[in-house]
Amino acid sequence: MAFPPINPNLSGPVLTQRIPGWPYADPKGRHVVSYEEYVKTGGYEGLRKALGMRPDAVTEEVKASMLRGRGGAGFPTGLKWTFLPKVKADESGREEDAGRRYLAINADESEPGTFKDRLLMDFDPHLVLEGIAICCYACRISTAYIFIRGEYHHQAKVLEKAIAEAYANGVFGGKGLLGGASTARGGSWAVDCYVHRGAGAYICGEETALLEGLEGKRGWPRIKPPFPAIKGLFGRPTIINNVETLAHLPSIVSQGSGWFVKQGRASSLAGQMGSHGTKLMGVSGHVNRPGTYELELGITLRQLVEDPALCGGMRKGKKFKGAIAGGISMGVLGPDQFDAEMDFDIGRKYNVLGLGTACPTVFDEDTDMVAVARNIARFFKHESCGQCTPCREGSGWLYQLMTRIEDGQGRTKDLDLALEIATSMGSMPGTTICGLADGNNWAVRTIMNKYRGEFEARVRPTFVPVKVSVGAMARG
Amino acid sequence: MPSITINGTPCSFTPGQTILQVANAAGIDIPQYCYHDGLSIVASCRICLAEVWAPNPKTGQVEPQMGGKLQPTCQTPAAEGMVVYTDSPKAVANQKAVMEYLLINHPLDCPVCDQAGECLLQDYSYEYGRGVSRFEEQKVKQPKKDLGPHVLLYSDRCIMCTRCVRFTREVTGTGELMVAGRGNKEEIDVFPGVPLDNDLSANVIDLCPVGALLDKDFLFSQRVWFLKSTPSIDPLTASGDNIFIEHNQGQVYRIKPRTNPAANRWWITDEVRYGWKFVHGDHRLASPMVRQYGTLVGCDYARAYEAAVEGLQKAAAGGKKVALLVSPMIACEEAYLLASLVKAIDPEAVLGVGPVPVRGRDRIYPEGADESHPRSFKMYAEKAPNARGVRRVLASFGPVLEYADVLRTLGAGSGRSDAGAVLVTGNYPDAAWAGDELTGALAGKFVVLIDTLTSAAMGEADVVLPSATWAEKDGTFESARGHLQAFERAIPPVGLAKSEGQIALDLRAELDRAPARVSGADLMVVNTTPGQVAAAVEVAPPRSKAYAAAAVRAEMASRPGLDVFSTGVRTPEQPTAARTDMPIVAL
């Protein structure tokens, strides 16, 4: 089967330009990019260009690029930045002090099947740092915290080393960005950057739970409003962005929003924002060549899996049965949805929650979907923070039900009950503070609906006919 | 005033109130577990969710807010024109689901649970839950824990509303409690070696909407539906905390805080909560006593009254003064009656205030905060409920001596005194009040002691009259916060005890009945056979009025300086008529 060209609008990778990998190069050449190498290959030029622009102009550029958050929800990044309190300026363009603001970088990449931010932190940490610096300048933020997943020991070390390099070379620190370079805003702009390691809770990837974690508290999501852009970390305006989102900023600033908008595709749905730029897609599961690929949004799942330049087909030539589109909380694409386009419209078009992290886990025909559902339910039961009643109790109940069904102890009515629990826990909007219950519900509900037959084959009928051997009702 | 509509009922509100606060104020039932007026809002129990419609600012059309998402009423601020439904199909479905979720891991041990009968889980299960359980799996089992000196935790009954955790963080500032674990295995816990031990610790028991946090003192002692609840005032400290005395058949079982935003708000200290034990203590004085041949012997009231009045009168007639020592533990009305009595016996009588116990310093919670803190709670070092009220009442009769001055007047130190008789009241919760300096000063004088517990003062007393504790009488205390607060009688007096007010009225009747005995003849000795109890002598009891605090207050108010007692006394709010969900049908 012939596939359209990969990344038709690009001559080479963007985020992974310093990280060799398919389809452009052999991953064996991967190494941690040092400050010197990063600068030699055009690094920190985006930041230099940004400092020559007024902060609002940088924000406008990002807004014009239609960059959408790469953490899962796909919220427009530039729009998010404009939610910060406005900073007033006098006629000469001198801005008043914006007060303390924070940038929290969400590096708590704990979604099962997702390993995209990891690639950047593993090999090209300065790309992330440059993005942080640009965001801090555009949003007038002077302190950035990288909240990194607790299990990412190695990545935390790489980042810390890179930050030390950046400080030593004047990128960060008291003198100002890029050694105190003057900015279009007037004067220099100093940023401090820290790495904060999480303690291993999935929920801390939720933005407000992440803030609680940074403050040293238990990772319980906060009630919104107030939104973090108004009252976030330590009660101050805070921007929370994903690692990959920030890594896009240097190239957007240096090459312009027009360049970025050319990549990807406009939305096929009326009134929806398009899906532009490239996306890191980490493919796992039953494919020949799992790994992280940088691809323009809009590529079909089929091409991702079957293109010889990419994953190279299903393992052992088995048939495609389904795939988790982007992190398990987004739900499952069924066997008839192999041609789904990997872009931000996927949620509306294919009855899943959304694109998520765009890291598909692919299942072949031998996969036991009941076990998949049970495993997913187990994950959410384990990671429910326990704050809201429906999620705390519902996730545990759902897991027990799934276990029973998998063990063949379930009855038909249990299937309906499981669907009802999933619905009342998650899909009825507003039942919980954060989206964890939604994720649980979408994952389990889409699997149960799309593979109902497998579930029904595992359960006994609710009403077992009783054999009567004596009396008038006796039958043969 | 702006208004919103909740389930079809229009309610006005003040801006800043949340929907749930408006509903609570208007008496509209919205189920709620994690919300509490005195604590921060977490919106985590999710049972108060409602459908909220609000006018679109552009079109003025009333539309579902947030795209029809259910919203926590405890957290959503009320806004003009909002229409809230907690009885819509969606909201009801959520209430049902939350009730089911809360119950799946909740043990069905209501029959042995102390909270049964005042349990929100029971109430809401009845009102909003489903009749049967669909949960066939294993329940999560969790341990019982001893959290501190007063509190037990039955973890498996806990519904994780975190009211108790927020209380220790926000009100006491001590932060002993925390949530440990995650998901449905999480539990409330303390750090090893750091028990829940602060001056307000037992309030978490009241905060707990279910039977997870229980009172060690009240554990398994009474089913709550047998308890009667009488509004009262803290009898042990100057704070004037509003309380309920919960009792049954003349026995106090526990003290609970009564909400009063101007005084204690929702909390009371543990010393107030557990300070009632002396009411049923072993050292209560059981009957009146008079001294015969150097020994106190039990007698009846008539005999004791006669002896008391005779002794006091004799001292006054002998040119000596009568002194009255009013303890700060008794009510204003009683101080008034006692002062009137003594002044009737001896117009020159010396009036003084008994010892006012002070322990340590005033303490303000949360720890490290001052009184300007919005959640501050002050614990008073002064351990007497009514020093201010007693001073106020006595001052209307003449100069009031403080305790040290009273002792000096009685001749402590110098040995010289022009007082010949002393009427002393006690009613302290422990016997330590009567120290050596008091017994020394009383020595050699005719002493009438009105007290509840045995103490060293009895050694100097010639007549002892057993008095009733605050739970056994009406009255008014004036708190350090400057409130005059009335309390009601909860239980009948224990044993033969009578309130100080009744004793004062009886003595007054005795005084009015008997002609002044001024001769040297000692009637008591003449009438008593050696070795025989005086009760053998038949004396007609004095006929007196019954003590009623409200009547005394009306009388007091006419006295200059005491007019505050006509209107300035806060009486407990009468409970509103019990709501019933059964329609009354005319037959």
Side-chain angles (χ1 to χ4, degrees):
Chain A
M1 190 172 173
F3 289 105
I6 297 158
N7 295 349
N9 305 307
L10 287 171
S11 54
V14 180
L15 297 177
T16 55
Q17 54 181 301
R18 298 176 191 87
I19 311 170
W22 292 298
Y24 295 98
D26 191 344
K28 289 202 181 80
R30 286 175 177 175
H31 59 279
V32 181
V33 177
S34 68
Y35 177 77
E36 285 74 27
E37 188 188 342
Y38 186 71
V39 170
K40 227 180 281 170
T41 51
Y44 289 115
E45 283 312 310
L47 175 58
R48 201 171 297 282
K49 189 174 172 202
L51 294 186
M53 300 158 72
R54 296 201 53 87
D56 289 337
V58 179
T59 308
E60 280 311 311
E61 193 67 35
V62 174
K63 231 172 148 177
S65 75
M66 296 197 257
L67 171 66
R68 293 175 69 166
R70 287 342 194 202
F75 194 82
T77 306
L79 187 60
K80 191 187 249 184
W81 293 0
T82 59
F83 292 159
L84 284 169
K86 295 277 171 292
V87 180
K88 283 199 208 92
D90 57 20
E91 296 99 44
S92 64
R94 267 190 77 79
E95 291 177 351
E96 62 170 20
D97 186 14
R100 234 172 180 357
R101 294 169 167 202
Y102 295 99
L103 171 64
I105 298 98
N106 192 343
D108 191 86
E109 190 182 39
S110 333
E111 185 80 24
T114 296
F115 43 90
K116 58 178 190 68
D117 298 341
R118 177 180 171 162
L119 187 75
L120 297 172
M121 294 188 281
D122 261 336
F123 300 112
D124 200 1
H126 283 284
L127 183 65
V128 181
L129 298 186
E130 188 179 351
I132 291 171
I134 292 172
C135 174
C136 286
Y137 174 70
C139 299
R140 301 152 181 101
I141 290 166
S142 50
T143 313
Y145 291 102
I146 304 174
F147 188 97
I148 189 165
R149 180 179 181 199
E151 289 87 339
Y152 278 4
H153 307 270
H154 174 68
Q155 289 75 7
K157 278 190 200 135
V158 172
L159 274 176
E160 269 173 356
K161 194 163 161 243
I163 289 172
E165 278 181 333
Y167 267 96
N169 289 288
V171 177
F172 294 130
K175 273 166 76 185
L177 289 171
L178 294 181
S182 65
T183 66
R185 182 187 171 275
S188 60
W189 186 256
V191 173
D192 279 313
C193 183
Y194 307 93
V195 173
H196 181 102
R197 291 186 55 195
Y202 171 68
I203 192 63
C204 284
E206 201 276 345
E207 55 177 10
T208 53
L210 184 147
L211 297 182
E212 293 277 301
L214 271 179
E215 289 179 9
K217 298 177 189 155
R218 191 181 161 78
W220 272 10
R222 294 179 186 170
I223 37 180
K224 292 184 258 188
F227 289 93
I230 307 298
K231 197 164 175 254
L233 190 60
F234 305 114
R236 302 292 311 167
T238 305
I239 288 292
I240 301 144
N241 275 146
N242 178 257
V243 169
E244 191 190 344
T245 315
L246 292 170
H248 271 297
L249 296 178
S251 54
I252 289 176
V253 170
S254 58
Q255 314 213 38
S257 55
W259 166 81
F260 191 80
V261 170
K262 268 197 229 114
Q263 308 159 34
R265 51 193 274 163
S267 174
S268 54
L269 301 167
Q272 293 296 312
M273 198 181 214
S275 310
H276 299 288
T278 59
K279 178 89 190 68
L280 292 176
M281 300 186 186
V283 189
S284 56
H286 304 150
V287 295
N288 278 328
R289 204 158 55 192
T292 311
Y293 299 87
E294 185 183 0
L295 299 164
E296 283 183 45
L297 285 164
I299 189 170
T300 61
L301 180 60
R302 183 187 294 276
Q303 183 176 3
L304 180 56
V305 171
E306 294 192 343
D307 195 320
L310 300 172
C311 294
M314 298 294 294
R315 209 174 55 183
K316 293 176 192 162
K318 292 268 171 68
K319 260 168 58 191
F320 172 84
K321 182 173 192 178
I324 291 166
I328 58 172
S329 49
M330 292 298 132
V332 169
L333 293 170
D336 53 339
Q337 296 172 326
F338 200 18
D339 287 309
E341 301 91 349
M342 300 291 284
D343 61 25
F344 290 110
D345 294 337
I346 193 170
R348 282 163 190 263
K349 278 157 80 176
Y350 298 99
N351 190 24
V352 289
L353 187 51
L355 180 64
T357 56
C359 289
T361 303
V362 182
F363 304 125
D364 69 16
E365 54 194 313
D366 296 341
T367 314
D368 178 359
M369 295 312 280
V370 181
V372 171
R374 198 261 303 141
N375 195 19
I376 290 174
R378 185 186 141 271
F379 173 78
F380 283 108
K381 180 211 86 163
H382 185 65
E383 294 295 349
S384 168
C385 79
Q387 191 177 196
C388 305
T389 308
C391 173
R392 178 183 67 233
E393 305 293 349
S395 60
W397 191 2
L398 201 52
Y399 168 63
Q400 292 195 25
L401 262 178
M402 286 295 153
T403 311
R404 199 148 56 83
I405 293 167
E406 193 194 356
D407 291 349
Q409 301 300 315
R411 308 228 195 95
T412 317
K413 65 167 187 180
D414 292 332
L415 299 182
D416 299 335
L417 184 58
L419 279 174
E420 194 193 320
I421 295 167
T423 308
S424 66
M425 174 170 60
S427 60
M428 196 155 64
T431 46
T432 51
I433 291 172
C434 80
L436 190 131
D438 292 20
N440 191 354
N441 149 62
W442 273 90
V444 173
R445 197 162 50 90
T446 52
I447 293 179
M448 288 189 69
N449 285 338
K450 291 176 182 175
Y451 304 93
R452 178 88 184 186
E454 285 191 38
F455 284 85
E456 283 177 352
R458 288 288 182 93
V459 296
R460 289 178 287 136
T462 301
F463 297 105
V464 184
V466 179
K467 220 175 173 186
V468 181
S469 52
V470 289
M473 294 289 287
R475 272 174 296 183
Chain B
M1 234 173 155
S3 81
I4 62 175
T5 311
I6 305 173
N7 296 347
T9 314
C11 316
S12 57
F13 67 96
T14 45
Q17 277 186 305
T18 67
I19 298 171
L20 187 64
Q21 285 164 346
V22 177
N24 285 350
I28 298 169
D29 251 352
I30 298 182
Q32 53 198 283
Y33 289 110
C34 65
Y35 175 81
H36 189 277
D37 284 330
L39 301 171
S40 65
I41 295 169
V42 293
S44 69
C45 75
R46 312 309 287 183
I47 200 169
C48 74
L49 302 190
E51 265 188 83
V52 179
W53 294 49
N56 184 326
K58 284 182 193 136
T59 60
Q61 211 79 16
V62 176
E63 299 169 351
Q65 257 200 331
M66 314 273 281
K69 219 167 146 176
L70 288 174
Q71 296 197 50
T73 55
C74 63
Q75 187 228 345
T76 311
E80 173 64 41
M82 259 185 185
V83 185
V84 180
Y85 299 99
T86 64
D87 51 3
S88 73
K90 231 179 181 175
V92 169
N94 177 66
Q95 287 155 2
K96 261 194 157 162
V98 170
M99 270 323 299
E100 186 171 28
Y101 288 136
L102 287 174
L103 291 174
I104 61 174
N105 282 318
H106 190 88
L108 191 60
D109 60 357
C110 302
V112 295
C113 178
D114 268 351
Q115 189 84 3
E118 51 181 10
C119 175
L120 284 187
L121 211 48
Q122 286 181 329
D123 295 353
Y124 292 155
S125 181
Y126 175 72
E127 211 151 334
Y128 303 99
R130 59 174 77 234
V132 285
S133 170
R134 299 184 294 176
F135 184 74
E136 295 172 18
E137 332 297 331
Q138 288 284 314
K139 287 194 184 225
V140 176
K141 292 178 196 73
Q142 284 176 330
K144 295 184 185 69
K145 291 179 206 158
D146 189 351
L147 294 187
H150 304 302
V151 185
L152 275 181
L153 170 63
Y154 283 61
S155 302
D156 50 4
R157 292 179 190 157
C158 177
I159 59 164
M160 299 307 300
C161 69
T162 68
R163 279 185 187 184
C164 53
V165 177
R166 281 175 280 150
F167 177 81
T168 60
R169 288 184 186 169
E170 294 162 12
V171 179
T172 65
T174 46
E176 293 99 339
L177 294 179
M178 58 162 184
V179 179
R182 220 162 52 188
N184 62 4
K185 297 242 169 49
E186 71 185 353
E187 33 187 299
I188 303 294
D189 211 338
V190 290
F191 282 100
V194 187
L196 174 62
D197 188 7
N198 60 56
D199 292 321
L200 292 163
S201 68
N203 285 298
V204 298
I205 301 160
D206 308 326
L207 280 174
C208 188
V210 299
L213 292 167
L214 293 181
D215 193 339
K216 281 188 193 172
D217 186 64
F218 181 68
L219 194 67
F220 305 136
S221 65
Q222 187 80 182
R223 301 312 320 223
V224 297
W225 51 84
F226 293 132
L227 293 176
K228 286 131 201 109
S229 203
T230 307
S232 185
I233 301 296
D234 154 29
L236 299 168
T237 74
S239 61
D241 290 352
N242 289 214
I243 57 173
F244 281 114
I245 302 175
E246 306 220 325
H247 56 94
N248 181 27
Q249 300 193 331
Q251 162 84 35
V252 178
Y253 283 94
R254 63 177 181 183
I255 301 282
K256 285 263 172 192
R258 177 159 57 94
T259 306
N260 183 344
N264 54 318
R265 296 201 263 192
W266 302 270
W267 328 120
I268 54 172
T269 55
D270 291 355
E271 63 179 346
V272 174
R273 188 183 300 263
Y274 300 113
W276 56 271
K277 294 300 168 94
F278 73 100
V279 173
H280 301 291
D282 295 340
H283 299 286
R284 278 296 290 269
L285 291 174
S287 78
M289 287 183 271
V290 293
R291 190 168 293 279
Q292 280 183 359
Y293 308 117
T295 313
L296 283 172
V297 290
C299 64
D300 67 1
Y301 266 106
R303 180 98 200 101
Y305 287 152
E306 193 185 335
V309 168
E310 186 191 323
L312 294 172
Q313 277 184 326
K314 212 159 75 177
K320 292 271 194 177
K321 279 185 181 169
V322 173
L324 171 65
L325 191 59
V326 182
S327 100
M329 314 303 288
I330 68 172
C332 294
E333 293 84 346
E334 299 175 313
Y336 170 82
L337 292 175
L338 285 166
S340 312
L341 167 77
V342 171
K343 282 290 181 186
I345 295 170
D346 176 11
E348 300 294 301
V350 178
L351 305 180
V353 182
V356 180
V358 175
R359 270 203 300 278
R361 286 189 180 176
D362 287 355
R363 243 183 274 173
I364 293 175
Y365 288 97
E367 279 185 349
D370 60 14
E371 275 182 274
S372 63
H373 190 281
R375 292 200 177 99
S376 72
F377 184 90
K378 191 168 176 186
M379 180 179 166
Y380 287 83
E382 184 182 319
K383 305 301 179 198
N386 199 27
R388 283 158 195 77
V390 166
R391 281 190 204 114
R392 180 193 290 272
V393 169
L394 295 187
S396 74
F397 289 90
V400 185
L401 300 184
E402 283 304 311
Y403 183 54
D405 301 328
V406 175
L407 291 180
R408 214 168 299 128
T409 311
L410 293 177
S414 63
R416 284 184 296 109
S417 165
D418 53 357
V422 193
L423 179 60
V424 185
T425 62
N427 217 332
Y428 292 88
D430 60 60
W433 70 279
D436 292 342
E437 72 282 357
L438 178 69
T439 49
L442 294 178
K445 299 179 182 66
F446 179 79
V447 176
V448 177
L449 174 68
I450 309 177
D451 202 355
T452 43
L453 304 181
T454 52
S455 72
M458 287 169 70
E460 302 299 331
D462 295 281
V463 178
V464 177
L465 296 164
S467 67
T469 64
W470 102 107
E472 300 150 38
K473 64 192 178 192
D474 304 342
T476 306
F477 288 150
E478 182 172 353
S479 74
R481 292 190 175 100
H483 302 146
L484 269 175
Q485 301 178 113
F487 55 92
E488 294 171 9
R489 189 177 104 153
I491 57 172
V494 172
L496 291 178
K498 289 184 179 184
S499 67
E500 282 89 344
Q502 187 63 55
I503 290 172
L505 286 170
D506 292 351
L507 287 173
R508 186 62 188 267
E510 174 72 21
L511 180 70
D512 294 344
R513 182 184 69 94
R517 281 180 268 257
V518 291
S519 70
D522 192 342
L523 293 176
M524 199 168 79
V525 174
V526 168
N527 284 346
T528 311
T529 321
Q532 218 178 343
V533 177
V537 181
E538 287 292 321
V539 182
R543 251 179 289 156
S544 65
K545 290 190 287 186
Y547 167 69
V552 180
R553 277 202 291 277
E555 186 188 328
M556 287 161 76
S558 62
R559 209 179 159 82
L562 294 184
D563 45 348
V564 66
F565 284 93
S566 66
T567 53
V569 177
R570 299 172 186 217
T571 47
E573 270 175 44
Q574 291 308 313
T576 47
R579 227 167 41 96
T580 167
D581 47 7
M582 275 188 286
I584 296 165
V585 183
L587 295 171

